[in-house]
Amino acid sequence: AGGACVSSVDGYQVRGAFSGVVYLDTNGNGTQDGAETGIESATVVITDALGNTYTVTTLADGSYLQAGVPAGPATVEITAGLPAGAVQTEGTNPNTVTVAGGSSVSSLDGYQVRGTITGVVYLDTNGNGTQDGAETGIESATVVIT
């Protein structure tokens, strides 16, 4: 007698994980030194090889973790939560990494908040160490900031 044949194919993939730390690089040397703290509440968006996105927020120590990422290239981007004026000193943003099944990929991203130096070079005609009303600036002076 005739019977129906039913078959099934099931595929499985071992997924990986992506972790990282976003930190405040206070001395600007591109390395997280002992006293340099993480940046809490930064938003990190991970786009996996299949086009899925995961949005994670850094913890108090600046760390984050996303498990279950498919194997293949993934893009990681810090999109919000960095201090105003922060300049990246370690890592790249965005960054593309390759996630391998059953393993973890990690990233360090350091940022330094930079300031502005301003000043006036003037002729102190009375020598009192203070720029008084009639004492004018010195035009075209070269100032070296180290």
Side-chain angles (χ1 to χ4, degrees), residues 2 6-7 17 20 24 28 44 49 57 71 74 81 83 92 98 116 119 125 136:
V6 177
S7 67
L24 191 58
V44 180
T57 303
T92 56
T98 300
T116 302
T125 55
T136 60

Side-chain angles (χ1 to χ4, degrees), residues 17-99:
F18 190 86
S19 64
V21 174
V22 181
Y23 70 94
L24 191 58
D25 186 8
T26 53
N27 63 9
N29 70 349
T31 301
Q32 186 177 19
D33 302 313
E36 293 175 331
T37 60
I39 298 175
E40 183 177 9
S41 300
T43 303
V44 180
V45 177
I46 301 167
T47 305
D48 68 25
L50 303 175
N52 301 312
T53 59
Y54 312 86
T55 301
V56 294
T57 303
T58 58
L59 302 175
D61 64 355
S63 68
Y64 61 92
L65 170 68
Q66 178 61 55
V69 179
T75 302
V76 181
E77 184 174 10
I78 302 164
T79 60
L82 296 173
V87 175
Q88 192 161 19
T89 59
E90 181 177 13
T92 56
N93 189 36
N95 184 20
T96 300
V97 297
T98 300
V99 177

